[in-house]
Amino acid sequence: MRGNSNINFRVGSALSAAVLMLAARPAAFAQVGMPNIQIGLGQAKGPEQVSSSIQILLILTVLSLAPALLIMLTSFTRIVIVLSFTRSALGSPQVPPNTVLIGLALFLTFFTMAPVLQSINTTSLQPYVKHQISFDQATDKACEPLKSFMLKQTRPKDLALFVSLSRAPRPHTKSDLSMTTLIPAFLISELKTAFTIGFVIFIPFLIIDMVVSVTLMSMGMMMLPPVLISLPFKILLFVLVDGWHLVARSLAMSFH
């Protein structure tokens, strides 16, 4: 015990001496190489620097809103809703899992939106990268293919609703139509189209459920859940008709 006390006393004395030496010689901190971090606002050297900073801020804002833009401005909404209806009609809420459905919806979205993305890349992105057009011109040119795609999928009734609600002058051309008016009209039209396709998908599976329920009741097996019996038959029917091929084909053809 006495030996331990002597060791602790010596270690404490050595640490105290080291602290006193560093306090007496502040230059010792400089030899450690501590980093110096400064965050502040400086004066811009020209209008070009201000403009580039604003553009970078806008690009970061667009990237943060990318998931919302993917849902609102593309075919993702219709595709993911139809795939969800297909899984519900099969009666298997966990198969395929959500990750597989979202991944399939994303790739189908990229496939259906490929002509639009190619047009944006050719007319807007590449000229802007090559400094042939300004940022505002690139934005306007990028909106034109999106507007054309969205107008083809938007019902005139939904478009007229939001034009009247906006209380803005009636647009005469496609360029006069604002995106704030077109986007909600496009989303409503996509929701109706997706629910219509989902209803058509539900019909054959509903018939199978009804036939199985009537059969079980006629056999006196009222305590047996009909879903337990109908699920294998629905999966068998879906596999025999190559259901995923038909669903993917129908979704792709619905945008042409």
Side-chain angles (χ1 to χ4, degrees):
M1 296 295 294
R2 187 173 181 180
N4 292 335
S5 300
N6 293 331
I7 293 173
N8 293 334
F9 176 76
R10 292 175 182 176
V11 172
S13 300
L15 290 176
S16 300
V19 171
L20 290 175
M21 289 177 63
L22 289 176
R25 300 174 64 183
F29 285 103
Q31 299 177 359
V32 181
M34 299 296 292
N36 184 17
I37 301 175
Q38 295 181 357
I39 299 176
L41 298 175
Q43 186 176 3
K45 297 181 180 179
E48 296 82 4
Q49 187 176 0
V50 177
S51 178
S52 61
S53 301
I54 294 176
Q55 291 179 11
I56 294 174
L57 179 61
L58 291 176
I59 292 173
L60 293 176
T61 304
V62 170
L63 290 177
S64 63
L65 297 176
L69 294 176
L70 177 65
I71 294 174
M72 293 187 297
L73 305 181
T74 63
S75 56
F76 181 81
T77 301
R78 181 191 305 185
I79 293 173
V80 74
I81 290 177
V82 171
L83 293 179
S84 299
F85 269 123
T86 304
R87 185 175 64 177
S88 299
L90 281 171
S92 55
Q94 301 297 331
V95 180
N98 292 330
T99 307
V100 176
L101 282 187
I102 298 299
L104 179 58
L106 283 174
F107 279 103
L108 287 176
T109 301
F110 294 146
F111 177 78
T112 55
M113 297 295 296
V116 179
L117 297 177
Q118 182 65 31
S119 178
I120 293 175
N121 181 58
T122 304
T123 61
S124 175
L125 182 59
Q126 292 302 324
Y128 177 72
V129 171
K130 297 177 181 178
H131 303 285
Q132 297 176 355
I133 58 177
S134 63
F135 181 77
D136 295 335
Q137 293 175 340
T139 304
D140 294 336
K141 289 183 178 295
C143 289
E144 292 178 1
L146 278 177
K147 281 186 177 181
S148 300
F149 169 79
M150 295 167 70
L151 282 173
K152 290 180 181 178
Q153 311 302 327
T154 304
R155 297 182 303 164
K157 180 180 179 181
D158 296 331
L159 187 60
L161 170 65
F162 286 96
V163 169
S164 62
L165 290 177
S166 64
R167 297 181 180 179
R170 185 171 182 177
H172 299 285
T173 60
K174 179 179 65 176
S175 58
D176 297 336
L177 188 63
S178 64
M179 294 295 288
T180 56
T181 303
L182 181 58
I183 290 175
F186 169 74
L187 286 175
I188 289 182
S189 299
E190 286 292 285
L191 287 175
K192 181 179 180 181
T193 304
F195 273 70
T196 303
I197 299 175
F199 173 75
V200 175
I201 293 175
F202 256 97
I203 292 177
F205 299 106
L206 182 61
I207 293 175
I208 294 177
D209 286 334
M210 294 177 62
V211 170
V212 171
S213 299
V214 171
T215 304
L216 291 178
M217 290 183 64
S218 63
M219 296 175 63
M221 299 180 179
M222 293 178 291
M223 300 300 295
L224 186 63
V227 179
L228 186 63
I229 305 300
S230 62
L231 179 59
F233 290 100
K234 290 190 289 186
I235 295 177
L236 179 62
L237 174 65
F238 196 71
V239 172
L240 289 177
V241 300
D242 201 359
W244 292 114
H245 172 83
L246 293 177
V247 171
R249 181 177 180 274
S250 301
L251 285 173
M253 294 297 295
S254 66
F255 291 100
H256 297 287

mmCIF file of all heavy atoms in Angstrom, residues 152-200:
data_model
loop_
_atom_site.group_PDB
_atom_site.id
_atom_site.type_symbol
_atom_site.label_atom_id
_atom_site.label_comp_id
_atom_site.label_asym_id
_atom_site.label_seq_id
_atom_site.Cartn_x
_atom_site.Cartn_y
_atom_site.Cartn_z
ATOM 1 N N LYS A 152 -49.710 15.358 -71.241
ATOM 2 C CA LYS A 152 -50.273 14.167 -71.884
ATOM 3 C C LYS A 152 -50.995 13.269 -70.887
ATOM 4 O O LYS A 152 -51.931 12.549 -71.253
ATOM 5 C CB LYS A 152 -49.157 13.382 -72.575
ATOM 6 C CG LYS A 152 -48.590 14.064 -73.805
ATOM 7 C CD LYS A 152 -47.493 13.211 -74.428
ATOM 8 C CE LYS A 152 -46.896 13.892 -75.653
ATOM 9 N NZ LYS A 152 -45.791 13.091 -76.257
ATOM 10 N N GLN A 153 -50.560 13.287 -69.626
ATOM 11 C CA GLN A 153 -51.144 12.418 -68.604
ATOM 12 C C GLN A 153 -52.188 13.127 -67.743
ATOM 13 O O GLN A 153 -52.792 12.479 -66.889
ATOM 14 C CB GLN A 153 -50.030 11.870 -67.695
ATOM 15 C CG GLN A 153 -48.847 11.286 -68.415
ATOM 16 C CD GLN A 153 -49.209 10.152 -69.334
ATOM 17 O OE1 GLN A 153 -50.143 9.386 -69.058
ATOM 18 N NE2 GLN A 153 -48.497 10.018 -70.436
ATOM 19 N N THR A 154 -52.385 14.420 -67.942
ATOM 20 C CA THR A 154 -53.313 15.192 -67.108
ATOM 21 C C THR A 154 -54.650 15.320 -67.810
ATOM 22 O O THR A 154 -54.713 15.640 -68.997
ATOM 23 C CB THR A 154 -52.739 16.593 -66.829
ATOM 24 O OG1 THR A 154 -51.448 16.450 -66.233
ATOM 25 C CG2 THR A 154 -53.640 17.362 -65.881
ATOM 26 N N ARG A 155 -55.715 15.077 -67.065
ATOM 27 C CA ARG A 155 -57.055 15.241 -67.626
ATOM 28 C C ARG A 155 -57.400 16.722 -67.745
ATOM 29 O O ARG A 155 -57.044 17.510 -66.854
ATOM 30 C CB ARG A 155 -58.084 14.542 -66.742
ATOM 31 C CG ARG A 155 -57.907 13.030 -66.648
ATOM 32 C CD ARG A 155 -58.994 12.421 -65.796
ATOM 33 N NE ARG A 155 -59.016 13.023 -64.463
ATOM 34 C CZ ARG A 155 -60.033 12.916 -63.612
ATOM 35 N NH1 ARG A 155 -61.119 12.255 -63.955
ATOM 36 N NH2 ARG A 155 -59.964 13.471 -62.429
ATOM 37 N N PRO A 156 -58.084 17.111 -68.814
ATOM 38 C CA PRO A 156 -58.470 18.529 -68.953
ATOM 39 C C PRO A 156 -59.344 19.026 -67.798
ATOM 40 O O PRO A 156 -59.260 20.195 -67.415
ATOM 41 C CB PRO A 156 -59.229 18.553 -70.287
ATOM 42 C CG PRO A 156 -58.718 17.370 -71.035
ATOM 43 C CD PRO A 156 -58.428 16.331 -70.014
ATOM 44 N N LYS A 157 -60.140 18.123 -67.217
ATOM 45 C CA LYS A 157 -61.006 18.513 -66.105
ATOM 46 C C LYS A 157 -60.185 18.930 -64.888
ATOM 47 O O LYS A 157 -60.475 19.948 -64.245
ATOM 48 C CB LYS A 157 -61.932 17.350 -65.752
ATOM 49 C CG LYS A 157 -62.887 17.638 -64.615
ATOM 50 C CD LYS A 157 -63.764 16.423 -64.340
ATOM 51 C CE LYS A 157 -64.706 16.692 -63.175
ATOM 52 N NZ LYS A 157 -65.560 15.516 -62.876
ATOM 53 N N ASP A 158 -59.161 18.165 -64.564
ATOM 54 C CA ASP A 158 -58.311 18.501 -63.423
ATOM 55 C C ASP A 158 -57.500 19.764 -63.690
ATOM 56 O O ASP A 158 -57.310 20.596 -62.789
ATOM 57 C CB ASP A 158 -57.368 17.339 -63.112
ATOM 58 C CG ASP A 158 -58.115 16.088 -62.680
ATOM 59 O OD1 ASP A 158 -59.203 16.237 -62.098
ATOM 60 O OD2 ASP A 158 -57.610 14.987 -62.936
ATOM 61 N N LEU A 159 -57.030 19.914 -64.913
ATOM 62 C CA LEU A 159 -56.260 21.110 -65.251
ATOM 63 C C LEU A 159 -57.132 22.360 -65.175
ATOM 64 O O LEU A 159 -56.705 23.406 -64.653
ATOM 65 C CB LEU A 159 -55.660 20.962 -66.649
ATOM 66 C CG LEU A 159 -54.692 22.054 -67.095
ATOM 67 C CD1 LEU A 159 -53.500 22.135 -66.151
ATOM 68 C CD2 LEU A 159 -54.218 21.788 -68.518
ATOM 69 N N ALA A 160 -58.358 22.252 -65.669
ATOM 70 C CA ALA A 160 -59.267 23.405 -65.606
ATOM 71 C C ALA A 160 -59.620 23.754 -64.164
ATOM 72 O O ALA A 160 -59.808 24.936 -63.831
ATOM 73 C CB ALA A 160 -60.535 23.098 -66.397
ATOM 74 N N LEU A 161 -59.687 22.755 -63.291
ATOM 75 C CA LEU A 161 -59.993 23.014 -61.880
ATOM 76 C C LEU A 161 -58.936 23.903 -61.243
ATOM 77 O O LEU A 161 -59.251 24.917 -60.608
ATOM 78 C CB LEU A 161 -60.098 21.685 -61.132
ATOM 79 C CG LEU A 161 -60.167 21.774 -59.604
ATOM 80 C CD1 LEU A 161 -61.449 22.483 -59.166
ATOM 81 C CD2 LEU A 161 -60.073 20.392 -58.975
ATOM 82 N N PHE A 162 -57.670 23.570 -61.409
ATOM 83 C CA PHE A 162 -56.610 24.341 -60.755
ATOM 84 C C PHE A 162 -56.343 25.656 -61.463
ATOM 85 O O PHE A 162 -55.870 26.604 -60.831
ATOM 86 C CB PHE A 162 -55.341 23.498 -60.661
ATOM 87 C CG PHE A 162 -55.416 22.435 -59.617
ATOM 88 C CD1 PHE A 162 -55.771 21.136 -59.950
ATOM 89 C CD2 PHE A 162 -55.164 22.722 -58.288
ATOM 90 C CE1 PHE A 162 -55.854 20.150 -58.989
ATOM 91 C CE2 PHE A 162 -55.248 21.750 -57.318
ATOM 92 C CZ PHE A 162 -55.598 20.455 -57.662
ATOM 93 N N VAL A 163 -56.642 25.742 -62.750
ATOM 94 C CA VAL A 163 -56.542 27.034 -63.427
ATOM 95 C C VAL A 163 -57.578 27.997 -62.876
ATOM 96 O O VAL A 163 -57.301 29.184 -62.630
ATOM 97 C CB VAL A 163 -56.684 26.864 -64.947
ATOM 98 C CG1 VAL A 163 -56.848 28.215 -65.634
ATOM 99 C CG2 VAL A 163 -55.465 26.148 -65.519
ATOM 100 N N SER A 164 -58.791 27.494 -62.638
ATOM 101 C CA SER A 164 -59.839 28.351 -62.079
ATOM 102 C C SER A 164 -59.560 28.697 -60.621
ATOM 103 O O SER A 164 -59.838 29.821 -60.177
ATOM 104 C CB SER A 164 -61.200 27.655 -62.196
ATOM 105 O OG SER A 164 -61.212 26.439 -61.453
ATOM 106 N N LEU A 165 -58.992 27.758 -59.860
ATOM 107 C CA LEU A 165 -58.691 28.038 -58.459
ATOM 108 C C LEU A 165 -57.535 29.026 -58.310
ATOM 109 O O LEU A 165 -57.477 29.770 -57.322
ATOM 110 C CB LEU A 165 -58.341 26.739 -57.724
ATOM 111 C CG LEU A 165 -59.484 25.746 -57.499
ATOM 112 C CD1 LEU A 165 -58.974 24.482 -56.840
ATOM 113 C CD2 LEU A 165 -60.595 26.369 -56.661
ATOM 114 N N SER A 166 -56.619 29.042 -59.244
ATOM 115 C CA SER A 166 -55.494 29.964 -59.166
ATOM 116 C C SER A 166 -55.884 31.406 -59.466
ATOM 117 O O SER A 166 -55.152 32.334 -59.144
ATOM 118 C CB SER A 166 -54.395 29.533 -60.139
ATOM 119 O OG SER A 166 -54.855 29.618 -61.476
ATOM 120 N N ARG A 167 -57.047 31.608 -60.111
ATOM 121 C CA ARG A 167 -57.551 32.938 -60.467
ATOM 122 C C ARG A 167 -56.549 33.718 -61.323
ATOM 123 O O ARG A 167 -56.473 34.942 -61.270
ATOM 124 C CB ARG A 167 -57.904 33.753 -59.219
ATOM 125 C CG ARG A 167 -59.022 33.138 -58.386
ATOM 126 C CD ARG A 167 -59.349 33.988 -57.178
ATOM 127 N NE ARG A 167 -60.421 33.387 -56.383
ATOM 128 C CZ ARG A 167 -60.905 33.898 -55.264
ATOM 129 N NH1 ARG A 167 -60.388 35.054 -54.791
ATOM 130 N NH2 ARG A 167 -61.869 33.316 -54.613
ATOM 131 N N ALA A 168 -55.781 32.984 -62.080
ATOM 132 C CA ALA A 168 -54.821 33.600 -62.996
ATOM 133 C C ALA A 168 -55.440 33.676 -64.390
ATOM 134 O O ALA A 168 -56.442 33.007 -64.676
ATOM 135 C CB ALA A 168 -53.531 32.778 -63.030
ATOM 136 N N PRO A 169 -54.885 34.490 -65.269
ATOM 137 C CA PRO A 169 -55.395 34.544 -66.647
ATOM 138 C C PRO A 169 -55.312 33.177 -67.314
ATOM 139 O O PRO A 169 -54.370 32.414 -67.089
ATOM 140 C CB PRO A 169 -54.476 35.567 -67.326
ATOM 141 C CG PRO A 169 -53.953 36.412 -66.220
ATOM 142 C CD PRO A 169 -53.830 35.499 -65.031
ATOM 143 N N ARG A 170 -56.281 32.870 -68.106
ATOM 144 C CA ARG A 170 -56.331 31.555 -68.751
ATOM 145 C C ARG A 170 -55.155 31.410 -69.713
ATOM 146 O O ARG A 170 -54.967 32.246 -70.601
ATOM 147 C CB ARG A 170 -57.638 31.383 -69.498
ATOM 148 C CG ARG A 170 -57.823 29.991 -70.091
ATOM 149 C CD ARG A 170 -59.210 29.801 -70.637
ATOM 150 N NE ARG A 170 -59.396 28.453 -71.152
ATOM 151 C CZ ARG A 170 -60.546 27.999 -71.632
ATOM 152 N NH1 ARG A 170 -61.616 28.803 -71.648
ATOM 153 N NH2 ARG A 170 -60.635 26.760 -72.086
ATOM 154 N N PRO A 171 -54.361 30.345 -69.575
ATOM 155 C CA PRO A 171 -53.202 30.187 -70.472
ATOM 156 C C PRO A 171 -53.653 29.804 -71.877
ATOM 157 O O PRO A 171 -54.563 28.995 -72.065
ATOM 158 C CB PRO A 171 -52.396 29.064 -69.810
ATOM 159 C CG PRO A 171 -53.396 28.302 -69.012
ATOM 160 C CD PRO A 171 -54.425 29.281 -68.552
ATOM 161 N N HIS A 172 -53.001 30.393 -72.870
ATOM 162 C CA HIS A 172 -53.321 30.107 -74.263
ATOM 163 C C HIS A 172 -52.357 29.100 -74.874
ATOM 164 O O HIS A 172 -52.721 28.400 -75.821
ATOM 165 C CB HIS A 172 -53.306 31.404 -75.074
ATOM 166 C CG HIS A 172 -54.318 32.408 -74.608
ATOM 167 N ND1 HIS A 172 -55.671 32.288 -74.856
ATOM 168 C CD2 HIS A 172 -54.171 33.553 -73.877
ATOM 169 C CE1 HIS A 172 -56.320 33.320 -74.329
ATOM 170 N NE2 HIS A 172 -55.423 34.105 -73.721
ATOM 171 N N THR A 173 -51.153 29.024 -74.363
ATOM 172 C CA THR A 173 -50.162 28.076 -74.865
ATOM 173 C C THR A 173 -49.579 27.277 -73.708
ATOM 174 O O THR A 173 -49.839 27.568 -72.536
ATOM 175 C CB THR A 173 -49.021 28.815 -75.603
ATOM 176 O OG1 THR A 173 -48.374 29.718 -74.696
ATOM 177 C CG2 THR A 173 -49.561 29.589 -76.799
ATOM 178 N N LYS A 174 -48.788 26.281 -74.064
ATOM 179 C CA LYS A 174 -48.176 25.438 -73.038
ATOM 180 C C LYS A 174 -47.181 26.220 -72.195
ATOM 181 O O LYS A 174 -47.056 25.968 -70.987
ATOM 182 C CB LYS A 174 -47.482 24.263 -73.732
ATOM 183 C CG LYS A 174 -46.788 23.308 -72.789
ATOM 184 C CD LYS A 174 -46.161 22.167 -73.549
ATOM 185 C CE LYS A 174 -45.055 22.657 -74.456
ATOM 186 N NZ LYS A 174 -44.362 21.526 -75.137
ATOM 187 N N SER A 175 -46.486 27.160 -72.794
ATOM 188 C CA SER A 175 -45.509 27.949 -72.048
ATOM 189 C C SER A 175 -46.167 28.893 -71.046
ATOM 190 O O SER A 175 -45.535 29.282 -70.057
ATOM 191 C CB SER A 175 -44.618 28.740 -73.007
ATOM 192 O OG SER A 175 -45.410 29.591 -73.825
ATOM 193 N N ASP A 176 -47.427 29.258 -71.288
ATOM 194 C CA ASP A 176 -48.131 30.145 -70.362
ATOM 195 C C ASP A 176 -48.589 29.420 -69.102
ATOM 196 O O ASP A 176 -48.938 30.073 -68.114
ATOM 197 C CB ASP A 176 -49.341 30.784 -71.054
ATOM 198 C CG ASP A 176 -48.938 31.671 -72.224
ATOM 199 O OD1 ASP A 176 -47.791 32.157 -72.217
ATOM 200 O OD2 ASP A 176 -49.762 31.860 -73.137
ATOM 201 N N LEU A 177 -48.612 28.118 -69.130
ATOM 202 C CA LEU A 177 -49.094 27.341 -67.991
ATOM 203 C C LEU A 177 -47.979 27.208 -66.951
ATOM 204 O O LEU A 177 -46.880 26.759 -67.251
ATOM 205 C CB LEU A 177 -49.530 25.954 -68.453
ATOM 206 C CG LEU A 177 -50.231 25.059 -67.430
ATOM 207 C CD1 LEU A 177 -51.538 25.681 -66.974
ATOM 208 C CD2 LEU A 177 -50.470 23.678 -68.031
ATOM 209 N N SER A 178 -48.270 27.614 -65.729
ATOM 210 C CA SER A 178 -47.266 27.561 -64.661
ATOM 211 C C SER A 178 -47.187 26.156 -64.068
ATOM 212 O O SER A 178 -48.164 25.398 -64.071
ATOM 213 C CB SER A 178 -47.612 28.565 -63.560
ATOM 214 O OG SER A 178 -48.844 28.219 -62.949
ATOM 215 N N MET A 179 -46.018 25.822 -63.537
ATOM 216 C CA MET A 179 -45.812 24.512 -62.929
ATOM 217 C C MET A 179 -46.608 24.358 -61.648
ATOM 218 O O MET A 179 -47.017 23.253 -61.296
ATOM 219 C CB MET A 179 -44.324 24.305 -62.649
ATOM 220 C CG MET A 179 -43.460 24.215 -63.888
ATOM 221 S SD MET A 179 -43.811 22.770 -64.904
ATOM 222 C CE MET A 179 -43.114 21.475 -63.888
ATOM 223 N N THR A 180 -46.844 25.449 -60.932
ATOM 224 C CA THR A 180 -47.639 25.365 -59.698
ATOM 225 C C THR A 180 -49.081 24.984 -59.976
ATOM 226 O O THR A 180 -49.758 24.457 -59.095
ATOM 227 C CB THR A 180 -47.593 26.710 -58.962
ATOM 228 O OG1 THR A 180 -48.044 27.757 -59.840
ATOM 229 C CG2 THR A 180 -46.180 27.018 -58.492
ATOM 230 N N THR A 181 -49.553 25.234 -61.171
ATOM 231 C CA THR A 181 -50.907 24.827 -61.559
ATOM 232 C C THR A 181 -50.914 23.429 -62.158
ATOM 233 O O THR A 181 -51.845 22.648 -61.930
ATOM 234 C CB THR A 181 -51.491 25.821 -62.566
ATOM 235 O OG1 THR A 181 -51.479 27.132 -61.986
ATOM 236 C CG2 THR A 181 -52.920 25.459 -62.939
ATOM 237 N N LEU A 182 -49.876 23.104 -62.907
ATOM 238 C CA LEU A 182 -49.837 21.817 -63.601
ATOM 239 C C LEU A 182 -49.540 20.656 -62.660
ATOM 240 O O LEU A 182 -50.104 19.569 -62.832
ATOM 241 C CB LEU A 182 -48.786 21.881 -64.714
ATOM 242 C CG LEU A 182 -48.601 20.628 -65.570
ATOM 243 C CD1 LEU A 182 -49.907 20.226 -66.239
ATOM 244 C CD2 LEU A 182 -47.510 20.854 -66.604
ATOM 245 N N ILE A 183 -48.674 20.855 -61.673
ATOM 246 C CA ILE A 183 -48.257 19.743 -60.809
ATOM 247 C C ILE A 183 -49.423 19.142 -60.019
ATOM 248 O O ILE A 183 -49.604 17.913 -60.027
ATOM 249 C CB ILE A 183 -47.114 20.194 -59.881
ATOM 250 C CG1 ILE A 183 -45.834 20.417 -60.688
ATOM 251 C CG2 ILE A 183 -46.846 19.156 -58.788
ATOM 252 C CD1 ILE A 183 -44.688 20.979 -59.880
ATOM 253 N N PRO A 184 -50.255 19.921 -59.305
ATOM 254 C CA PRO A 184 -51.376 19.273 -58.588
ATOM 255 C C PRO A 184 -52.392 18.633 -59.517
ATOM 256 O O PRO A 184 -52.960 17.587 -59.182
ATOM 257 C CB PRO A 184 -51.992 20.429 -57.783
ATOM 258 C CG PRO A 184 -51.524 21.665 -58.441
ATOM 259 C CD PRO A 184 -50.186 21.359 -59.002
ATOM 260 N N ALA A 185 -52.625 19.233 -60.684
ATOM 261 C CA ALA A 185 -53.543 18.614 -61.646
ATOM 262 C C ALA A 185 -52.983 17.283 -62.142
ATOM 263 O O ALA A 185 -53.721 16.291 -62.292
ATOM 264 C CB ALA A 185 -53.782 19.562 -62.812
ATOM 265 N N PHE A 186 -51.681 17.249 -62.378
ATOM 266 C CA PHE A 186 -51.037 16.004 -62.815
ATOM 267 C C PHE A 186 -51.128 14.927 -61.737
ATOM 268 O O PHE A 186 -51.405 13.753 -62.033
ATOM 269 C CB PHE A 186 -49.580 16.309 -63.170
ATOM 270 C CG PHE A 186 -48.730 15.091 -63.395
ATOM 271 C CD1 PHE A 186 -48.858 14.345 -64.548
ATOM 272 C CD2 PHE A 186 -47.790 14.705 -62.449
ATOM 273 C CE1 PHE A 186 -48.062 13.220 -64.756
ATOM 274 C CE2 PHE A 186 -46.995 13.595 -62.649
ATOM 275 C CZ PHE A 186 -47.134 12.842 -63.804
ATOM 276 N N LEU A 187 -50.922 15.304 -60.479
ATOM 277 C CA LEU A 187 -50.975 14.327 -59.390
ATOM 278 C C LEU A 187 -52.374 13.749 -59.221
ATOM 279 O O LEU A 187 -52.534 12.538 -59.009
ATOM 280 C CB LEU A 187 -50.506 14.980 -58.088
ATOM 281 C CG LEU A 187 -49.001 15.232 -57.955
ATOM 282 C CD1 LEU A 187 -48.696 15.984 -56.680
ATOM 283 C CD2 LEU A 187 -48.238 13.922 -58.002
ATOM 284 N N ILE A 188 -53.401 14.583 -59.323
ATOM 285 C CA ILE A 188 -54.773 14.088 -59.189
ATOM 286 C C ILE A 188 -55.103 13.126 -60.325
ATOM 287 O O ILE A 188 -55.735 12.077 -60.125
ATOM 288 C CB ILE A 188 -55.753 15.272 -59.143
ATOM 289 C CG1 ILE A 188 -55.601 16.015 -57.822
ATOM 290 C CG2 ILE A 188 -57.191 14.791 -59.308
ATOM 291 C CD1 ILE A 188 -56.545 17.169 -57.670
ATOM 292 N N SER A 189 -54.683 13.475 -61.532
ATOM 293 C CA SER A 189 -54.938 12.591 -62.672
ATOM 294 C C SER A 189 -54.202 11.260 -62.506
ATOM 295 O O SER A 189 -54.741 10.192 -62.831
ATOM 296 C CB SER A 189 -54.499 13.279 -63.967
ATOM 297 O OG SER A 189 -55.226 14.468 -64.185
ATOM 298 N N GLU A 190 -52.979 11.320 -62.001
ATOM 299 C CA GLU A 190 -52.223 10.092 -61.790
ATOM 300 C C GLU A 190 -52.884 9.207 -60.730
ATOM 301 O O GLU A 190 -52.920 7.977 -60.869
ATOM 302 C CB GLU A 190 -50.793 10.434 -61.363
ATOM 303 C CG GLU A 190 -49.931 10.961 -62.484
ATOM 304 C CD GLU A 190 -49.640 9.905 -63.528
ATOM 305 O OE1 GLU A 190 -48.818 9.023 -63.278
ATOM 306 O OE2 GLU A 190 -50.267 9.972 -64.605
ATOM 307 N N LEU A 191 -53.414 9.819 -59.682
ATOM 308 C CA LEU A 191 -54.082 9.041 -58.640
ATOM 309 C C LEU A 191 -55.325 8.344 -59.192
ATOM 310 O O LEU A 191 -55.561 7.162 -58.908
ATOM 311 C CB LEU A 191 -54.467 9.961 -57.478
ATOM 312 C CG LEU A 191 -53.316 10.442 -56.589
ATOM 313 C CD1 LEU A 191 -53.814 11.438 -55.560
ATOM 314 C CD2 LEU A 191 -52.642 9.266 -55.896
ATOM 315 N N LYS A 192 -56.113 9.035 -60.005
ATOM 316 C CA LYS A 192 -57.310 8.405 -60.573
ATOM 317 C C LYS A 192 -56.931 7.273 -61.520
ATOM 318 O O LYS A 192 -57.544 6.192 -61.490
ATOM 319 C CB LYS A 192 -58.143 9.435 -61.311
ATOM 320 C CG LYS A 192 -59.415 8.813 -61.897
ATOM 321 C CD LYS A 192 -60.289 9.803 -62.606
ATOM 322 C CE LYS A 192 -61.529 9.100 -63.149
ATOM 323 N NZ LYS A 192 -62.424 10.022 -63.876
ATOM 324 N N THR A 193 -55.925 7.499 -62.357
ATOM 325 C CA THR A 193 -55.505 6.456 -63.284
ATOM 326 C C THR A 193 -54.979 5.237 -62.527
ATOM 327 O O THR A 193 -55.284 4.086 -62.884
ATOM 328 C CB THR A 193 -54.419 7.001 -64.225
ATOM 329 O OG1 THR A 193 -54.905 8.165 -64.888
ATOM 330 C CG2 THR A 193 -54.033 5.962 -65.257
ATOM 331 N N ALA A 194 -54.203 5.465 -61.468
ATOM 332 C CA ALA A 194 -53.660 4.354 -60.694
ATOM 333 C C ALA A 194 -54.764 3.566 -60.001
ATOM 334 O O ALA A 194 -54.733 2.323 -59.976
ATOM 335 C CB ALA A 194 -52.660 4.883 -59.664
ATOM 336 N N PHE A 195 -55.755 4.256 -59.452
ATOM 337 C CA PHE A 195 -56.856 3.555 -58.788
ATOM 338 C C PHE A 195 -57.713 2.801 -59.792
ATOM 339 O O PHE A 195 -58.251 1.736 -59.479
ATOM 340 C CB PHE A 195 -57.702 4.554 -57.996
ATOM 341 C CG PHE A 195 -57.201 4.802 -56.610
ATOM 342 C CD1 PHE A 195 -56.035 5.500 -56.392
ATOM 343 C CD2 PHE A 195 -57.885 4.317 -55.505
ATOM 344 C CE1 PHE A 195 -55.563 5.730 -55.117
ATOM 345 C CE2 PHE A 195 -57.431 4.535 -54.219
ATOM 346 C CZ PHE A 195 -56.255 5.241 -54.019
ATOM 347 N N THR A 196 -57.847 3.318 -61.003
ATOM 348 C CA THR A 196 -58.599 2.610 -62.032
ATOM 349 C C THR A 196 -57.902 1.311 -62.424
ATOM 350 O O THR A 196 -58.537 0.250 -62.529
ATOM 351 C CB THR A 196 -58.774 3.501 -63.272
ATOM 352 O OG1 THR A 196 -59.417 4.715 -62.891
ATOM 353 C CG2 THR A 196 -59.606 2.799 -64.324
ATOM 354 N N ILE A 197 -56.593 1.383 -62.631
ATOM 355 C CA ILE A 197 -55.836 0.173 -62.959
ATOM 356 C C ILE A 197 -55.872 -0.810 -61.794
ATOM 357 O O ILE A 197 -55.993 -2.033 -61.984
ATOM 358 C CB ILE A 197 -54.387 0.540 -63.335
ATOM 359 C CG1 ILE A 197 -54.365 1.442 -64.566
ATOM 360 C CG2 ILE A 197 -53.564 -0.710 -63.599
ATOM 361 C CD1 ILE A 197 -52.979 1.950 -64.926
ATOM 362 N N GLY A 198 -55.760 -0.311 -60.559
ATOM 363 C CA GLY A 198 -55.829 -1.181 -59.394
ATOM 364 C C GLY A 198 -57.167 -1.888 -59.259
ATOM 365 O O GLY A 198 -57.218 -3.064 -58.875
ATOM 366 N N PHE A 199 -58.257 -1.208 -59.600
ATOM 367 C CA PHE A 199 -59.583 -1.845 -59.551
ATOM 368 C C PHE A 199 -59.686 -2.985 -60.560
ATOM 369 O O PHE A 199 -60.230 -4.054 -60.252
ATOM 370 C CB PHE A 199 -60.662 -0.796 -59.826
ATOM 371 C CG PHE A 199 -62.042 -1.366 -59.956
ATOM 372 C CD1 PHE A 199 -62.751 -1.785 -58.838
ATOM 373 C CD2 PHE A 199 -62.632 -1.504 -61.208
ATOM 374 C CE1 PHE A 199 -64.021 -2.320 -58.955
ATOM 375 C CE2 PHE A 199 -63.898 -2.033 -61.334
ATOM 376 C CZ PHE A 199 -64.598 -2.447 -60.206
ATOM 377 N N VAL A 200 -59.142 -2.758 -61.749
ATOM 378 C CA VAL A 200 -59.165 -3.819 -62.770
ATOM 379 C C VAL A 200 -58.345 -5.021 -62.313
ATOM 380 O O VAL A 200 -58.716 -6.177 -62.566
ATOM 381 C CB VAL A 200 -58.653 -3.261 -64.111
ATOM 382 C CG1 VAL A 200 -58.548 -4.354 -65.155
ATOM 383 C CG2 VAL A 200 -59.570 -2.151 -64.614
#
